[in-house]
Amino acid sequence: MAWDVFLSYCRSDTTPAEALAAELRARGLRVFQDEVGVHRFDSVSRTIMAELGRSRLLLAYYSHAYPTRRACQQELVTAFLAGQREGDPLRRVLVVNPERGTGHIEPIELRDARFWSPSAELRHLIEAVTRKVDELPTPIGGVDQRRAPLWLPAPAHRPPARFVGRTAELWRLHSALHPQSATLTEGGGEPVAVVHGVGGIGASSLVSEYARQFGATFPGGVFWLSAADPWPEQLTAIASALGADGDGHAADRVAVALEARREPCLWVVDGVPAGLPLDRVRRLLSPHPLAASVITTTDGSYAELGAGVALTELPAAQAIRLVLNQVDELAPGDRESAHKLVDAVGGHPGALLDLAASARSAGLDSVRRRLFSRDWPVLETTAKRLLAEVDGAGEAGLDVLRAVTAFAPDPLPLPVLDGLGPVGLAVDRLSRQSVVRLVGGGALEVPAVVAHVIRHSDPDPARHERISAAALAARRERDDFAVDDRERAAAFRVQVELAHRVPVRPLGGGGLREAISSLHSIFSFTREQLRECGPDSSQRFGEVAERLMEEVLRPFLSEWHPALRRFEDRTQFDDSAWDPTAELRNALDALREPLLAVIGDLARISGNPHGTRYL
């Protein structure tokens, strides 16, 4: 069956979308909805895309949730590109915007177009839809698909098999490469996009995924060059593949060949190093204006050449899915382990893929338990890459990262850096590489993965301790709340006790009864320190002490102390008694993370980093 309208919307908008569909049908329009159009037992994705091909117009119910749904974006891209091949990317798409603003609408062409709001009269939308449908004699599937884009040098640079998220960034990249499409509202500009972020954030993957989805936009070809490889050889290879052999500079021959083809194309330069003069980076761009240029880099300052597309960490839900997608068969507890890995290193794709690779042989739970171990560096690849990237900022740069990491996850006020000497240039270099970020106009923060690497892989642990201590002392002086000497001393005493107890340090063999007794004594010791602080002290130490006792120690002790005692008593009479020791060792392992977090909070109160090197 042929359809006039394909209604595209996410599940959270089902109620208003169904009401809209009913109104359109009442006016005689044939409307496809996946709830009513997909027959039982059919492949949903195959059926939906087939019905989209039989539809003349896509009507997108573009709520805040719409750009977060991959299926919706696949539908939108298909209709958008069909219109673009016909000369107008808006020819096959109309938008309903139920939100107040337009910032969530991508691509730029849709944001520039007029759209209907539910607060306006419905007849205006019906008239617009009817007028559009009358102008479209063929369905979306009848539009010439053309050939797949030519990749040079071959083979194509393929995206990850299971690319996750980044829908908004893909559209922002598309908008950056087509600034001429909305010059009235956005101002136009050069078709140059600079995709940047901290090393391992996935800039190359994003661009290759864009080329996969939007390749039909560039029938003249996708040219993928690496900044790390010899430049003349790459240009010569492209010129030869385009049939532009002969004398003269290779870039000139490529330009002549592109001029002869007269088709839009995409010019990608992957991995441009940080700190280069802009004039030198400019020379890496496409030699012909028909080719839109994309640069991937860690250096956000290159965005002056065009439009910047900044990549940050994946949101937690997408980061967890990225990890689980790498696991062939999920074991019990894998989802919880993935959650904890994401909590520890944030949504940094490179780090998460490193961890997932280790999990293929060891399991996610084992990787989670060993993430903080210096004896098994599961993030060694990520650590080496990040440390190599910050090497250009010198020792001053490492000192900045040490200080900011001591504050993490809280931002570090800029005046704290005054005690480190002249670090302005280092801060500027680290900021350009997205290793540190300025927040609130006067503080620095680091991505979680950077904090983890600095804590665990600092090439100078002794200096790390000194800088962390100085930063924590400065924090103590600058904090808005008052911490009296008794509270500071109490925090330090509990901090020292925790840092030298099982399971903060590896348990090794044996010692289960000693571990239980040790944690019992910590509970009693903490309660005594809290009592000695008295009711007049501030609440900071009290909050941490309460969390340690009631949320960390008490649940563990109430379960495992009686279980171990029952086992010890029964073994005197029954050799077949249930042995809980293996499970107890795992439980002690799992206790390490929350205890390390408590040590970090106590260090911020005491102003002393003792024990934080285990973090």
Side-chain angles (χ1 to χ4, degrees), residues 321-337:
R321 189 163 80 249
L322 176 66
V323 174
L324 295 178
N325 279 352
Q326 312 304 312
V327 180
D328 294 330
E329 294 184 13
L330 293 182
D334 273 356
R335 293 188 183 277
E336 181 183 355
S337 295

Side-chain angles (χ1 to χ4, degrees), residues 383-392:
K384 287 180 177 178
R385 179 171 55 223
L386 287 173
L387 289 173
E389 287 173 355
V390 304
D391 190 56

Side-chain angles (χ1 to χ4, degrees), residues 164-511:
V164 172
R166 302 293 198 201
T167 298
E169 290 88 346
L170 285 167
W171 279 120
R172 283 204 294 272
L173 175 56
H174 181 77
S175 297
L177 294 174
H178 296 81
Q180 72 283 359
S181 298
T183 55
L184 291 179
T185 58
E186 304 292 337
E190 292 285 332
V192 176
V194 178
V195 183
H196 61 93
V198 66
I201 201 65
S204 301
S205 296
L206 178 87
V207 177
S208 54
E209 174 69 8
Y210 173 78
R212 184 188 71 80
Q213 290 194 31
F214 291 83
T217 308
F218 306 102
V222 177
F223 307 103
W224 192 286
L225 302 95
S226 171
D229 294 337
W231 194 251
E233 285 85 340
Q234 294 181 84
L235 290 179
T236 299
I238 293 175
S240 297
L242 293 174
D245 295 319
D247 299 328
H249 195 281
D252 295 334
R253 288 187 279 128
V254 170
V256 170
L258 295 180
E259 173 65 26
R261 296 166 69 88
R262 300 299 300 173
E263 290 183 308
C265 47
L266 184 64
W267 185 273
V268 181
V269 185
D270 189 28
V272 177
L276 299 179
L278 277 182
D279 286 345
R280 182 176 171 186
V281 179
R282 191 185 300 277
R283 290 197 292 270
L284 302 177
L285 302 180
S286 161
H288 193 282
L290 275 173
S293 297
V294 182
I295 287 173
T296 70
T297 181
T298 61
D299 196 332
S301 69
Y302 298 160
E304 292 182 32
L305 296 172
V309 180
L311 300 185
T312 57
E313 296 90 336
L314 291 170
Q318 294 179 11
I320 291 165
R321 189 163 80 249
L322 176 66
V323 174
L324 295 178
N325 279 352
Q326 312 304 312
V327 180
D328 294 330
E329 294 184 13
L330 293 182
D334 273 356
R335 293 188 183 277
E336 181 183 355
S337 295
H339 273 269
K340 292 190 174 182
L341 288 175
V342 171
D343 287 342
V345 303
H348 185 273
L352 294 174
L353 291 174
D354 281 352
L355 295 173
S358 296
R360 291 192 191 101
S361 57
L364 276 176
D365 185 59
S366 178
V367 170
R368 177 191 63 79
R369 287 186 283 109
R370 297 181 183 181
L371 179 60
F372 300 95
S373 171
R374 292 176 179 270
D375 300 326
W376 196 54
V378 292
L379 276 182
E380 186 174 14
T381 302
T382 296
K384 287 180 177 178
R385 179 171 55 223
L386 287 173
L387 289 173
E389 287 173 355
V390 304
D391 190 56
E395 192 64 33
L398 278 174
D399 282 349
V400 170
L401 292 178
R402 289 160 181 148
V404 179
T405 295
F407 271 59
D410 299 329
L412 176 140
L414 285 173
V416 173
L417 298 177
D418 293 343
L420 298 181
V423 295
L425 291 177
V427 171
D428 179 65
R429 176 67 181 260
L430 295 174
S431 298
R432 288 171 58 180
Q433 294 180 260
S434 305
V435 179
V436 297
R437 296 184 289 241
L438 185 66
V439 293
L444 292 176
E445 67 177 9
V446 292
V449 67
V450 175
H452 184 92
V453 166
I454 295 299
R455 286 170 178 152
H456 293 270
S457 303
D458 195 318
D460 190 345
R463 187 168 181 85
H464 179 98
E465 293 275 352
R466 291 197 301 274
I467 298 298
S468 296
L472 288 169
R475 177 185 185 129
R476 185 184 66 224
E477 295 174 3
R478 298 183 58 86
D479 273 342
D480 293 333
F481 57 83
V483 181
D484 61 32
D485 290 338
R486 288 182 303 171
E487 188 174 16
R488 187 174 300 116
F492 182 67
R493 286 192 289 268
V494 175
Q495 178 184 339
V496 170
E497 290 299 316
L498 276 179
H500 295 275
R501 301 293 181 113
V502 173
V504 172
R505 293 172 180 266
L507 179 62

Side-chain angles (χ1 to χ4, degrees), residues 72-89:
C72 294
Q73 293 302 305
Q74 184 179 6
E75 295 160 5
L76 178 60
V77 167
T78 301
F80 181 87
L81 292 181
Q84 192 168 60
R85 294 185 199 104
E86 295 175 298
D88 180 6

